[in-house]
C-alpha cells in the first residue's frame, strides 16, 4: 500500500444529490459496522467475565466474601468497553486494515488490567485475582479473535463491492493519479474506493473526462467542492507540480470542519511501516527510510527458526511423505522425487526437491506447449498442462509436491518464507531491479503463495517478491505461514 499521512477527520454533508446519497450510504454502512463491533465486543466481554467467575468459583457464591460479584462483573464489562472507546478502538481510521486495530484492542485490555490491579492494591479491594486474571485473558484473546473474524467478513464484502469503504477523491498529475488508483485497487479489501479525480487546469478538457474508468470531477483549484459534490470522505493527494507546500497546507485548512480526511501519498511505495519514521525538521514532516536488513542478529534467528521448524516438520510428516511417495511411484513410470536446478541467495545454484508431478519427458515436451503459455513474463504456466500426472494434479492442488523442500530448508539452501526460487533461465534475463530477489534465500512459501500463486501476473509476482525482500521480518514470516494454510485449503491458483 502507498504510505499515507492522515489529517484530523471531520464530516460534512455532500452538496450534490448523487454525492449526498452515496456519501450518506457510506457513512451509514460505516456506523453499522462500528455498532456490530460494539455488540460483538460486549458479548465477548460478558462471556469472559462469566468464564472468569465460573472457573474461579463454580456455581456457588463465594462464602465469606464482601465483594458483590453480581455488581462487579457488569461494572467490569462497562469499564472495559469505556476503555476500548477511550483508546479509540472504534476509530474508522484503524478499522478493517492493518495491525493497529489489534494493537489498540490488546493495549486497552492490558492497560485496564494493570489499572485494576494497581487500584486493588492501593485501596486493598479483595477482588479475586483468579477471577480477574481469567476474565482479562479470555476477554483479550476473544476481542482480537472477533475483530479478526469481523475484518475477514468486511474484506469479503469489500471485494464484492458492497462493504463499507472510504470514498476517495484522488488529486494530482495524471500519471501519478493513475498510479495511485492502480495501487489502491490492487487491494480492494483495504477499503479505499476511488470515486473521482482532480487534475491540473492545463489538463482539463471542455468535455467530461475519465482517467481509466475514474471520472475527472474538477481541477486542483476546486478540490473541497469536488469532494463534496461526489460524496467523498477522503482526499488523497499524490505528486503534482501545482500542489506546492503552501497550497497543500491551505487545502488542509479548507477541509477543516468539513468531515473530509486528507491523505498525502508520497511517491515512495512498497515500503513497510517499520522502516518508515516521520520526523519534523524545520516545520517539514521528513520521511526517513531505513535501509533493508540482509544480515545481523535477526537473520541468525531466522536461520535457526527455519532449520528447527523444518527438522520438526519432517519428523512429524514422515508418514504422509511415505504415503505420497508410494502414490507417485504407483501412478506413473519414473522417479519419486524431481530435482531441478534453481537459483538461490547470491546467485548460487542448488537442486530444489519436489515430488514428481509430471511425466518423465516433461522438459522435452515443453517446446510443443510454449505457444499455449497462460502467463506473461519469464515463467511458463498452463492451467491444463497435459504433462501433469493424475496424482500430480492432486499434489499440486494442495501443494503437497513441495514437502521435500523441507530438506532444502534443513540444508540452508532455502527458507520457509521468501521469494519464489527462480530457474537459471529466468535469472539470465533479469534486469537490475528483479535481481534484488536474490539478496535473500528463496522460500517454500511467500507473499506470492498467499496472494494467488499461478493466478498472479509476472509483474505482480515480482512486486510481491521485492516487497518481501525489502521489508521482511519474523512477525511477517509468521503471518505468511499462517495465511499459507488458508491459501492451500482454498487451492486458488494451484495448477
Amino acid at each position: 500500500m502507498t504510505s499515507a499521512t492522515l489529517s484530523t477527520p471531520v464530516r460534512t454533508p455532500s452538496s450534490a444529490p448523487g454525492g449526498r446519497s452515496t456519501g450518506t450510504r457510506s457513512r451509514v454502512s460505516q456506523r453499522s459496522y462500528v455498532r456490530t463491533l460494539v455488540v460483538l465486543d460486549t458479548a465477548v466481554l460478558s462471556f469472559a467475565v462469566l468464564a472468569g467467575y465460573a472457573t474461579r468459583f463454580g456455581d456457588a457464591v463465594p462464602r465469606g466474601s464482601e465483594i458483590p460479584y453480581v455488581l462487579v462483573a457488569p461494572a467490569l464489562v462497562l469499564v472495559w468497553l469505556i476503555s476500548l472507546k477511550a483508546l479509540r478502538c472504534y476509530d474508522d481510521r484503524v478499522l478493517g486494515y492493518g495491525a493497529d486495530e489489534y494493537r489498540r484492542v490488546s493495549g486497552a485490555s492490558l492497560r485496564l488490567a494493570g489499572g485494576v490491579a494497581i487500584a486493588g492494591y492501593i485501596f486493598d479491594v479483595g477482588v479475586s485475582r483468579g477471577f480477574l486474571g481469567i476474565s482479562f485473558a479470555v476477554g483479550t484473546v476473544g476481542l482480537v479473535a472477533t475483530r479478526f473474524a469481523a475484518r475477514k467478513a468486511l474484506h469479503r464484502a469489500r471485494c464484492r463491492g458492497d462493504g463499507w469503504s472510504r470514498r476517495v477523491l484522488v488529486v494530482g498529475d495524471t500519471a501519478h493519479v493513475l498510479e495511485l488508483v492502480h495501487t489502491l485497487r490492487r487491494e480492494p479489501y483495504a477499503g479505499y474506493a476511488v470515486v473521482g479525480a482532480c487534475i491540473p487546469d492545463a489538463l482539463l478538457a471542455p468535455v467530461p473526462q475519465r482517467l481509466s474508468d475514474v471520472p475527472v470531477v474538477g481541477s486542483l483549484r476546486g478540490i473541497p467542492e469536488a469532494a463534496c459534490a461526489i460524496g467523498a470522505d477522503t482526499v488523497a493527494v499524490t505528486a503534482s507540480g501545482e500542489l506546492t507546500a503552501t497550497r497543500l497546507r491551505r487545502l488542509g485548512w479548507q477541509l477543516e470542519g468539513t468531515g473530509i480526511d486528507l491523505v498525502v501519498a508520497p511517491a515512495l511505495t512498497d515500503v513497510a511501516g517499520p522502516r518508515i519514521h516521520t520526523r519534523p525538521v524545520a516545520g517539514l514532516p521528513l520521511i526517513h527510510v531505513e535501509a533493508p536488513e540482509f544480515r545481523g542478529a535477526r537473520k541468525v534467528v531466522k536461520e535457526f527458526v527455519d532449520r528447527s521448524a523444518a527438522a520438526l516438520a519432517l519428523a512429524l510428516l514422515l508418514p504422509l511423505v511415505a504415503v505420497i511417495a508410494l502414490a507417485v511411484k504407483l501412478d506413473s513410470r519414473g522417479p519419486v522425487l524431481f530435482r531441478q536446478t534453481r537459483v538461490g541467495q547470491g546467485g548460487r545454484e542448488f537442486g530444489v526437491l519436489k515430488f514428481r508431478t509430471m511425466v518423465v519427458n516433461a522438459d522435452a515436451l515443453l517446446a510443443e506447449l510454449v505457444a499455449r503459455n497462460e502467463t506473461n513474463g519469464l515463467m511458463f504456466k498452463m492451467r491444463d498442462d497435459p504433462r501433469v500426472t493424475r496424482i500430480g494434479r492432486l499434489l499440486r492442488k494442495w501443494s503437497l509436491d513441495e514437502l521435500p523442500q523441507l530438506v532444502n530448508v534443513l540444508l540452508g539452501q532455502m527458507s520457509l518464507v521468501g521469494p519464489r526460487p527462480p530457474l537459471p533461465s529466468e535469472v539470465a534475463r533479469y534486469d537490475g531491479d528483479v535481481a534484488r530477489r536474490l539478496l535473500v534465500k528463496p522460500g517454500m512459501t511467500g507473499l506470492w503463495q498467499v496472494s494467488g500463486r499461478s493466478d498472479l501476473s509476472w509483474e505482480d509476482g515480482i512486486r510481491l517478491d521485492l516487497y518481501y525482500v525489502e521489508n521482511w521480518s519474523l512477525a511477517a514470516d509468521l503471518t505468511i505461514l499462517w495465511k499459507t494454510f488458508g491459501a492451500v485449503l482454498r487451492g486458488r491458483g494451484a495448477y
Side-chain angles (χ1 to χ4, degrees):
M1 283 294 296
T2 302
S3 306
T5 303
L6 299 178
S7 68
T8 303
V10 278
R11 306 290 180 208
T12 186
S14 300
S15 58
R20 180 186 300 116
S21 174
T22 310
T24 300
R25 285 198 301 270
S26 177
R27 287 191 292 273
V28 169
S29 180
Q30 181 261 331
R31 291 167 185 163
S32 176
Y33 182 75
V34 172
R35 285 195 296 269
T36 300
L37 289 182
V38 173
V39 171
L40 289 174
D41 290 350
T42 303
V44 166
L45 297 182
S46 299
F47 173 79
V49 171
L50 289 175
Y53 182 89
T55 304
R56 177 63 181 84
F57 302 113
D59 297 331
V61 178
R63 296 180 179 179
S65 174
E66 299 179 355
I67 304 299
Y69 284 94
V70 69
L71 299 178
V72 169
L76 180 58
V77 172
L78 179 60
V79 173
W80 206 332
L81 288 171
I82 293 174
S83 178
L84 292 174
K85 175 66 175 177
L87 291 179
R88 299 165 65 186
C89 296
Y90 301 105
D91 189 338
D92 61 4
R93 289 205 213 109
V94 302
L95 296 180
Y97 190 77
D100 203 23
E101 179 180 2
Y102 302 131
R103 282 196 294 265
R104 291 193 187 189
V105 168
S106 302
S109 302
L110 294 176
R111 289 185 185 187
L112 179 62
V116 169
I118 294 173
Y121 177 79
I122 293 176
F123 298 104
D124 195 22
V125 179
V127 179
S128 169
R129 286 174 291 181
F131 161 71
L132 291 175
I134 295 171
S135 298
F136 278 113
V138 173
T140 302
V141 174
L143 287 173
V144 173
T146 53
R147 289 294 181 105
F148 176 80
R151 174 179 292 193
K152 288 302 178 184
L154 178 62
H155 286 180
R156 288 192 292 270
R158 283 173 170 174
C159 290
R160 293 193 306 266
D162 57 2
W164 158 63
S165 295
R166 289 178 172 273
R167 293 174 53 81
V168 182
L169 172 68
V170 181
V171 176
D173 291 340
T174 302
H176 294 100
V177 165
L178 288 172
E179 183 177 359
L180 182 56
V181 169
H182 174 71
T183 301
L184 295 178
R185 289 183 173 177
R186 198 163 55 204
E187 298 180 357
Y189 55 85
Y192 285 83
V194 179
V195 294
C198 286
I199 59 178
D201 294 308
L203 301 177
L204 286 176
V207 296
Q209 292 174 263
R210 303 183 77 86
L211 297 178
S212 184
D213 60 344
V214 178
V216 176
V217 295
S219 71
L220 302 186
R221 298 182 183 276
I223 296 173
E225 295 79 5
C228 291
I230 61 173
D233 54 31
T234 303
V235 172
V237 179
T238 185
S240 172
E242 290 191 20
L243 282 174
T244 62
T246 300
R247 293 188 65 179
L248 186 58
R249 184 170 63 251
R250 187 175 296 119
L251 174 61
W253 295 340
Q254 292 172 334
L255 294 178
E256 286 181 5
T258 65
I260 302 173
D261 287 358
L262 177 62
V263 178
V264 180
L268 182 69
T269 60
D270 285 336
V271 178
R275 289 180 55 210
I276 296 177
H277 303 280
T278 303
R279 299 173 185 147
V281 177
L284 296 174
L286 297 183
I287 298 177
H288 292 249
V289 183
E290 295 182 356
E293 186 174 344
F294 301 118
R295 58 180 60 87
R298 289 201 307 151
K299 277 291 186 180
V300 174
V301 173
K302 178 179 171 68
E303 181 85 11
F304 173 78
V305 171
D306 280 341
R307 297 199 182 196
S308 300
L312 179 62
L314 280 172
L316 295 176
L317 297 174
L318 191 57
L320 176 61
V321 169
V323 170
I324 294 174
L326 180 61
V328 172
K329 190 66 178 176
L330 295 176
D331 181 59
S332 62
R333 179 179 58 86
V336 171
L337 293 178
F338 174 70
R339 186 179 184 275
Q340 188 177 44
T341 300
R342 297 290 180 110
V343 180
Q345 185 178 21
R348 292 183 291 272
E349 295 185 354
F350 69 98
V352 68
L353 298 175
K354 289 187 177 184
F355 282 118
R356 183 176 56 83
T357 60
M358 289 186 174
V359 295
V360 290
N361 61 335
D363 289 339
L365 297 174
L366 178 60
E368 303 174 10
L369 302 172
V370 169
R372 298 165 63 184
N373 189 9
E374 297 178 9
T375 186
N376 54 1
L378 306 179
M379 294 187 298
F380 175 84
K381 287 292 182 180
M382 186 175 171
R383 196 173 297 273
D384 295 314
D385 195 326
R387 302 173 299 164
V388 179
T389 63
R390 290 173 299 175
I391 191 66
R393 296 190 187 281
L394 182 63
L395 296 179
R396 287 186 172 209
K397 179 179 181 180
W398 304 106
S399 296
L400 296 175
D401 60 315
E402 298 176 1
L403 287 180
Q405 291 177 24
L406 289 169
V407 176
N408 294 115
V409 177
L410 192 60
L411 294 175
Q413 299 165 332
M414 293 180 64
S415 175
L416 291 177
V417 181
R420 184 188 63 84
L423 292 165
S425 59
E426 297 174 23
V427 175
R429 290 181 283 174
Y430 278 180
D431 60 23
D433 292 342
V434 181
R436 290 185 64 82
R437 299 170 78 236
L438 305 179
L439 290 174
V440 299
K441 291 181 181 179
M444 289 185 63
T445 186
L447 288 175
W448 49 273
Q449 175 90 342
V450 300
S451 303
R453 291 191 275 187
S454 296
D455 285 344
L456 292 174
S457 67
W458 165 260
E459 290 78 10
D460 283 341
I462 291 298
R463 177 183 59 82
L464 291 173
D465 281 346
L466 292 180
Y467 181 89
Y468 177 82
V469 170
E470 298 284 334
N471 304 287
W472 76 272
S473 68
L474 294 174
D477 281 3
L478 292 176
T479 302
I480 292 171
L481 287 171
W482 170 256
K483 290 184 176 182
T484 297
F485 291 106
V488 169
L489 290 175
R490 289 192 299 271
R492 178 190 167 200
Y495 54 87

